[in-house]
């Protein structure tokens, strides 16, 4: 069977080498995947980009979402967008991501905002400039740049939907939107029904994991049937992506809900 959700292959299937994950996702029944920035540097050599693109197309899946370079995520970095001095890397990764998007049909790019840095001012102004640049590049292929509220990162300043939407308003481009990761929003104390009702028309991408725990839907307290229905009623017709830390190696749990 084919699952309607896309699979985030940066947090699921992590026991496999990165380039084997699209095929494993396809074998498991997914027709679409998404990735965090999949390269060790912001400006990977063409051959490395080609290998990644081939892994996606050879697997026969669609790459529906891709994060721009976000720094050293395991070390705690959460994006370059507001990081003074890292503009060249951010923009290099925008060029690579948009090139991949053109090849593979990817239309959602996640621009993680970046942590606050002690003693630095002007981070929000820089973020607006970097996001405007990314939006302009993405516009060329009909793509959207999304801003994501995160939990679990003390120095990451975008924690609520309202904060993300304020950033989008500051950028003012037509092709920027809210990434509603229902797990992060719930953990940050957001009323998800209220977020969907108020910001439904700003949501450009949705990610799912249960809360608490960030594991597969069904392991926590969130009512996904209700939330997905509310999203649909609010006019959201995009993809939903599973971005969870697995407690089990299989996807059988999804069969009832897919
Ligand atoms: O860092 C995280 O938790 C994310 O969801 C990145 O997209």
């Amino acid at each position: 069977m084919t699952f309607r959700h896309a699979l985030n292959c940066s947090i699921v299937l992590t026991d496999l080498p990165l380039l084997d994950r699209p095929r494993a996702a396809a074998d498991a029944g997914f027709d679409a995947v998404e990735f965090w920035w999949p390269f060790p540097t912001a400006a990977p050599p063409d051959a490395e980009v080609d290998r990644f693109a081939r892994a996606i197309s050879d697997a026969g899946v669609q790459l529906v979402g891709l994060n721009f370079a976000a720094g050293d995520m395991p070390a705690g970095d959460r994006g370059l967008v507001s990081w003074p001095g890292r503009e060249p890397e951010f923009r290099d990764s925008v060029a690579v991501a948009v090139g991949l998007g053109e090849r593979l049909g990817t239309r959602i790019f996640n621009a993680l905002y970046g942590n606050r840095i002690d003693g630095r001012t002007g981070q929000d102004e820089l973020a607006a400039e970097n996001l405007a640049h990314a939006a302009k590049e993405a516009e060329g292929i009909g793509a959207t740049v999304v801003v994501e509220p995160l939990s679990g990162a003390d120095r990451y300043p975008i924690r609520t939907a309202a904060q993300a939407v304020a950033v989008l308003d500051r950028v003012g481009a037509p092709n920027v939107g809210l990434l509603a990761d229902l797990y992060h929003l719930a953990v940050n104390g957001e009323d998800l029904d209220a977020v969907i009702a108020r910001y439904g028309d700003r949501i450009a991408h949705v990610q799912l994991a249960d809360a608490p725990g960030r594991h597969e839907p069904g392991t926590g307290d969130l009512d996904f049937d209700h939330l997905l229905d509310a999203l649909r009623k609010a006019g959201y017709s995009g993809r939903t992506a599973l971005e969870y830390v697995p407690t089990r190696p299989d996807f059988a749990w999804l069969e009832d809900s897919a």
Side-chain angles (χ1 to χ4, degrees):
M1 83 188 285
T2 302
F3 297 120
R4 64 193 155 88
H5 302 295
L7 188 68
N8 185 301
C9 289
S10 293
I11 182 169
V12 187
L13 301 175
T14 52
D15 52 323
L16 297 174
L18 189 127
L19 295 183
D20 292 349
R21 297 179 201 168
R23 163 68 56 200
D27 289 348
F30 293 92
D31 66 356
V33 298
E34 61 174 23
F35 274 87
W36 297 350
W37 186 246
F39 308 110
T41 62
D46 289 348
E48 205 174 330
V49 177
D50 287 346
R51 274 196 295 277
F52 177 73
R54 267 203 310 278
I56 299 284
S57 46
D58 288 355
V61 291
Q62 208 193 332
L63 181 70
V64 294
L66 182 63
N67 288 16
F68 296 132
D72 184 350
M73 298 267 294
D77 296 345
R78 287 293 180 274
L80 303 178
V81 166
S82 63
W83 193 334
R86 305 291 292 266
E87 300 88 333
E89 284 162 86
F90 176 70
R91 291 178 184 221
D92 281 348
S93 81
V94 168
V96 171
V98 170
L100 276 167
E102 189 165 23
R103 270 165 91 165
L104 299 171
T106 313
R107 294 295 178 261
I108 294 291
F109 298 111
N110 184 8
L112 290 179
Y113 196 79
N115 292 329
R116 288 296 194 225
I117 300 167
D118 284 338
R120 297 310 291 251
T121 55
Q123 283 192 260
D124 294 324
E125 289 75 10
L126 175 63
E129 281 168 30
N130 276 332
L131 287 167
H133 168 81
K136 193 160 183 299
E137 297 298 302
E139 194 180 15
I141 60 163
T144 297
V145 173
V146 290
V147 173
E148 179 182 20
L150 292 183
S151 62
D154 291 346
R155 302 182 73 80
Y156 188 87
I158 310 299
R159 305 180 62 77
T160 66
Q163 288 169 328
V165 168
V167 171
L168 305 179
D169 288 343
R170 183 172 209 166
V171 177
N175 62 326
V176 290
L178 170 65
L179 195 175
D181 180 316
L182 302 182
Y183 162 77
H184 284 308
L185 292 170
V187 168
N188 287 346
E190 291 269 74
D191 172 340
L192 296 180
D193 284 311
V195 166
I196 293 167
R198 178 147 187 207
Y199 299 114
D201 62 340
R202 311 297 294 270
I203 296 175
H205 191 51
V206 173
Q207 291 173 329
L208 311 178
D210 220 328
R214 203 179 195 180
H215 301 305
E216 52 272 20
T219 54
D221 299 336
L222 300 188
D223 180 348
F224 286 101
D225 286 343
H226 166 76
L227 291 167
L228 294 177
D229 194 45
L231 279 161
R232 267 190 295 275
K233 287 184 177 139
Y236 182 73
S237 59
R239 283 282 188 161
T240 47
L242 298 171
E243 192 193 33
Y244 67 95
V245 179
T247 63
R248 47 189 289 172
D250 62 90
F251 299 98
W253 61 272
L254 199 45
E255 274 165 27
D256 293 338
S257 60

